[in-house]
């Protein structure tokens, strides 16, 4: 057998990525063997079962963004920041920029398919002197974003439930912050049980959810219902108004700045797609399946979300009426106005299911990040969080750590700006972790990336520049409050959350971690004759010098 035939990357390319459904036991066995060999090159031994197929990986990445539920959760942002223009163009513009980030991440994931994901990418692309620090920063930013995203998804799920209760009781029962927090804790506890399940169960649940429950079906049904019912009710606005009517309800004098605050909705929705990287050690043919899942997940979510917001814009007869609703979520009022009580509750119940499963998928993603970071001893108590349950072969301890931390962050639900604070913190944390390895890819890592099956080729540089510039802009934007004058009740607590973690991680690095943290730690024994990822990088450098 030739050297190239022994190369795991070549083997992955030569075996169909279909999860074994059509290729037979031999094909899927070869594929998983190639995946495990490639993982060993990256420095890790295989500890999970590779139960996710290509289709199931795409379903997972798509479900984690939960488009119809995410739009319903964040509808207030464009309502306040631009009205109809905020709904339509406040979604479209950020989505186009996010596609550049997703493309860059897909290339990195294809090259290095490991649960360590982003902080592993940073370690391998940074200059040797700064490798550990780059990995440390990326890892802590990603963990922060992952946990706050779990909290924000489940918090809005709790708000959806209280909205349904208010509508179902004709306004007689309106639950406040305390009961909402109690519902949040119950959801987190149930997600802890679900996310602790075996990998094959999680894979099948996500596939069935996307294809059968109808995240796709629910989204399409919501779009059609809003357009048809608003026409029947006589509440549909003109095409001109739906696309061009601008209303600034933020309190900011500058309308351009007010409009950009609507970007919070798509930026919060289009997060978590790095999940395909974090579950790559559980995926068959990960070097191909994971990047495909990232690109398809982001593209489908961005497209469907835009169509849903367009439908919502047509169905919104009065922005001010929706903003003054007593319901926790204005989207609930929009459905109630156009579909009536029974129709609203019917589609709202489906949206609650979508949000619940989205939270479960995000819980899986976050637990894998915690597990991977702990595997490299980067978290306090790492020896507990990196343990794999012998029965389910999943990181159960890491799952429950995520749920407990999310419950603590959920205390922000007692403030008036709970969602904007949690959404801001999750976007800032996640996109900082997204941009760091991309920045290193276009600077110190230009000649370090060992290409996987998916590569941007020469386009990596302009796409990477646009991606990093956008993240810098959006982080600054999301640190600002929604209104020009704030109090302790309505301030943007994203600053407090992010700074608290930054200070803790920074002091930990200065006092201790810089002396012992070296970045990703290999847990495989060398000596099988296959080159490691670092050795492949060195070979590439040698080839560059020859040329």
């Amino acid at each position: 057998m030739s050297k190239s035939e022994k190369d795991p990357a070549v083997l992955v390319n030569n075996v169909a990525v279909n999860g074994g459904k059509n290729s037979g036991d031999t094909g899927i066995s070869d594929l998983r063997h190639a995946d495990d060999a490639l993982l060993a090159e990256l420095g890790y031994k295989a500890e999970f079962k590779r139960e996710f197929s290509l289709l199931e990986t795409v379903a997972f990445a798509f479900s984690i963004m939960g488009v119809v539920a995410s739009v319903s959760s964040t509808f207030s942002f464009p309502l306040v920041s631009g009205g109809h223009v905020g709904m339509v163009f406040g979604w479209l513009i950020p989505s186009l920029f996010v596609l550049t980030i997703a493309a860059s991440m897909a290339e990195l994931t294809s090259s290095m398919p490991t649960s360590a994901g982003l902080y592993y990418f940073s370690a391998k692309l940074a200059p040797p002197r700064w490798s550990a620090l780059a990995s440390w920063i990326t890892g802590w930013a990603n963990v922060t974003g992952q946990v706050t995203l779990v909290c924000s998804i489940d918090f809005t799920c709790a708000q959806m439930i209280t909205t349904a209760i208010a509508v179902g009781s004709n306004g007689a029962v309106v639950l406040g912050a305390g009961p909402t927090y109690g519902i949040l804790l119950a959801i987190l506890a149930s997600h802890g049980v679900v996310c602790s399940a075996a990998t094959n169960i999680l894979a099948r649940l996500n596939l069935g959810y996307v294809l059968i429950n109808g995240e796709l079906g629910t989204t399409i049904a919501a779009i059609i219902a809003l357009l048809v019912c608003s026409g029947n009710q006589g509440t549909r606005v003109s095409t001109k108004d739906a696309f061009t009517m601008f209303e600034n309800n933020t309190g900011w004098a500058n309308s351009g700045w007010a409009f950009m605050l609507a970007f919070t909705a798509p930026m919060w929705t289009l997060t978590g797609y790095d999940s395909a990287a974090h579950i790559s050690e559980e995926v068959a043919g990960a070097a191909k399946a994971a990047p495909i899942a990232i690109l398809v997940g982001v593209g489908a979510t961005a497209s469907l979300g835009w169509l849903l917001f367009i439908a919502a814009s047509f169905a919104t007869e009065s922005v001010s009426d929706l903003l003054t609703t007593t319901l926790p979520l204005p989207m609930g009022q929009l459905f109630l106005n156009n579909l009536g009580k029974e129709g609203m509750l019917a589609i709202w119940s489906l949206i609650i299911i979508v949000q619940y499963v989205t939270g479960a998928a995000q819980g899986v993603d976050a637990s894998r990040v915690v597990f991977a970071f702990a595997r490299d001893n980067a978290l306090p108590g790492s020896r507990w969080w990196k343990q794999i349950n012998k029965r389910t072969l999943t990181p159960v301890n890491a799952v429950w750590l995520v749920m407990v931390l999310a419950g603590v962050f959920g205390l922000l639900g007692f403030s008036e700006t709970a969602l904007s604070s949690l959404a801001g913190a999750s976007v800032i944390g996640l996109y900082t972790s997204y941009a760091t390895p991309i920045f290193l890819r276009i600077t110190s890592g230009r000649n370090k990336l060992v290409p996987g099956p998916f590569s941007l080729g020469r386009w990596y540089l302009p796409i990477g520049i646009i991606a990093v510039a956008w993240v810098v802009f959006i982080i600054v934007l999301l640190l600002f409050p929604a209104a020009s004058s704030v109090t302790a009740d309505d301030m943007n607590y994203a600053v407090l959350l992010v700074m608290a973690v930054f200070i803790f991680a920074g002091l930990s690095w200065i006092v201790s971690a810089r002396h012992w943290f070296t970045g990703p730690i290999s847990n495989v024994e060398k000596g099988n004759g296959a080159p490691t990822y670092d050795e492949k990088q060195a070979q590439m450098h040698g080839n560059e010098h020859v040329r």
Side-chain angles (χ1 to χ4, degrees):
M1 184 178 288
S2 66
K3 181 179 178 180
S4 64
E5 289 172 323
K6 294 179 181 179
D7 191 329
V10 175
L11 289 173
V12 168
N13 279 323
N14 289 339
V15 183
V17 184
N18 58 19
K21 303 296 186 292
N22 300 314
S23 62
D25 293 340
T26 301
I28 192 60
S29 177
D30 289 344
L31 182 60
R32 287 168 176 163
H33 174 73
D35 284 323
D36 292 343
L38 180 57
L39 182 62
E41 286 185 4
L42 299 174
Y44 297 115
K45 63 182 179 181
E47 298 182 80
F48 296 97
K49 287 185 177 180
R50 293 188 179 273
E51 301 283 0
F52 278 85
S53 67
L54 170 60
L55 184 58
E56 289 160 347
T57 307
V58 171
F60 185 83
F62 181 65
S63 68
I64 211 166
M65 288 179 272
V67 55
V68 64
S70 296
V71 168
S72 299
S73 301
T74 58
F75 188 54
S76 60
F77 292 114
L79 276 179
V80 172
S81 303
H84 295 276
V85 171
M87 293 181 221
V88 177
F89 297 103
W91 178 277
L92 176 63
I93 293 172
S95 295
L96 296 175
F97 284 101
V98 169
L99 286 172
T100 65
I101 301 168
S104 297
M105 189 184 301
E107 180 184 49
L108 296 176
T109 302
S110 182
S111 172
M112 298 170 274
T114 167
S115 294
L118 301 159
Y119 80 86
Y120 185 96
F121 305 160
S122 292
K124 296 303 178 183
L125 297 175
R129 180 182 177 186
W130 302 106
S131 175
L133 179 58
S135 181
W136 182 262
I137 293 172
T138 306
W140 273 101
N142 196 241
V143 168
T144 303
Q146 293 283 351
V147 175
T148 52
L149 186 57
V150 170
C151 181
S152 56
I153 291 172
D154 284 1
F155 174 72
T156 52
C157 187
Q159 286 187 310
M160 289 177 180
I161 293 172
T162 59
T163 297
I165 292 172
V167 172
S169 65
N170 295 315
V173 180
V174 179
L175 300 179
T180 301
Y181 182 68
I183 295 172
L184 166 63
L185 294 181
I187 294 172
L188 288 171
S190 66
H191 279 162
V193 175
V194 172
C195 296
S196 298
T199 298
N200 63 332
I201 296 175
L202 295 172
R204 305 302 180 268
L205 283 175
N206 276 282
L207 181 60
Y209 152 68
V210 171
L211 298 181
I212 299 173
N213 166 64
E215 178 177 347
L216 288 171
T218 302
T219 305
I220 294 171
I223 293 171
I224 295 173
L226 287 174
L227 290 175
V228 172
C229 293
S230 62
N232 293 338
Q233 295 285 344
T235 56
R236 186 192 301 167
V237 301
S238 67
T239 301
K240 179 181 178 181
D241 285 349
F243 283 88
T244 63
M245 183 179 289
F246 180 83
E247 297 181 44
N248 179 5
N249 293 288
T250 64
W252 290 98
N254 188 302
S255 294
W257 178 258
F259 164 70
M260 289 189 292
L261 291 173
F263 294 173
T264 305
M267 292 307 300
W268 182 71
T269 301
L270 296 171
T271 52
Y273 47 88
D274 56 316
S275 60
H278 299 308
I279 66 165
S280 60
E281 293 181 31
E282 301 166 72
V283 175
K288 277 189 175 181
I292 290 173
I294 291 172
L295 294 173
V296 173
V298 172
T301 300
S303 300
L304 286 170
W306 192 44
L307 292 176
L308 181 53
F309 263 119
I310 290 174
S313 183
F314 272 106
T316 300
E317 184 178 29
S318 172
V319 171
S320 59
D321 284 350
L322 293 181
L323 288 175
T324 56
T325 180
T326 57
L327 297 178
L329 295 174
M331 183 62 97
Q333 186 66 53
L334 181 66
F335 280 118
L336 183 61
N337 291 348
N338 290 282
L339 279 67
K341 177 181 176 181
E342 290 76 14
M344 179 272 180
L345 289 175
I347 198 164
W348 199 250
S349 63
L350 294 176
I351 293 175
I352 291 173
I353 294 173
V354 170
Q355 190 71 332
Y356 180 85
V357 180
T358 298
Q362 177 55 34
V364 173
D365 186 17
S367 67
R368 284 3 178 217
V369 173
V370 169
F371 160 78
F373 210 33
R375 183 171 58 182
D376 293 318
N377 300 319
L379 295 176
S382 286
R383 69 189 184 94
W384 294 102
W385 318 129
K386 65 183 178 182
Q387 290 183 10
I388 296 292
N389 185 276
K390 294 181 180 179
R391 186 172 64 86
T392 64
L393 295 180
T394 54
V396 174
N397 291 355
V399 167
W400 287 103
L401 175 63
V402 168
M403 299 307 160
V404 169
L405 291 176
V408 174
F409 287 144
L411 291 171
L412 279 176
F414 291 93
S415 73
E416 294 180 10
T417 56
L419 180 56
S420 60
S421 298
L422 290 169
S426 59
V427 172
I428 292 170
L430 287 173
Y431 274 91
T432 297
S433 68
Y434 296 174
T436 303
I438 297 174
F439 173 75
L440 294 170
R441 166 72 172 118
I442 63 177
T443 53
S444 61
R446 288 190 183 188
N447 300 317
K448 288 186 175 183
L449 190 78
V450 179
F454 175 81
S455 174
L456 294 176
R458 63 178 180 174
W459 292 102
Y460 83 90
L461 186 58
I463 291 175
I465 291 173
I466 294 172
V468 172
W470 175 256
V471 172
V472 172
F473 162 73
I474 209 69
I475 287 175
V476 173
L477 177 72
L478 292 179
L479 288 173
F480 279 81
S484 56
S485 57
V486 295
T487 64
D489 290 331
D490 57 16
M491 73 167 283
N492 184 354
Y493 284 93
V495 178
L496 179 62
L497 281 174
V498 173
M499 287 303 298
V501 175
F502 176 80
I503 292 172
F504 175 79
L507 290 177
S508 297
W509 175 262
I510 294 171
V511 174
S512 175
R514 65 190 178 93
H515 299 297
W516 52 264
F517 182 73
T518 58
I521 301 173
S522 175
N523 62 3
V524 297
E525 294 182 5
K526 191 178 176 183
N528 58 2
T532 65
Y533 194 88
D534 291 333
E535 288 171 341
K536 285 187 174 182
Q537 287 182 325
Q539 291 171 4
M540 290 178 58
H541 277 295
N543 293 336
E544 289 293 326
H545 290 316
V546 170
R547 286 197 293 267

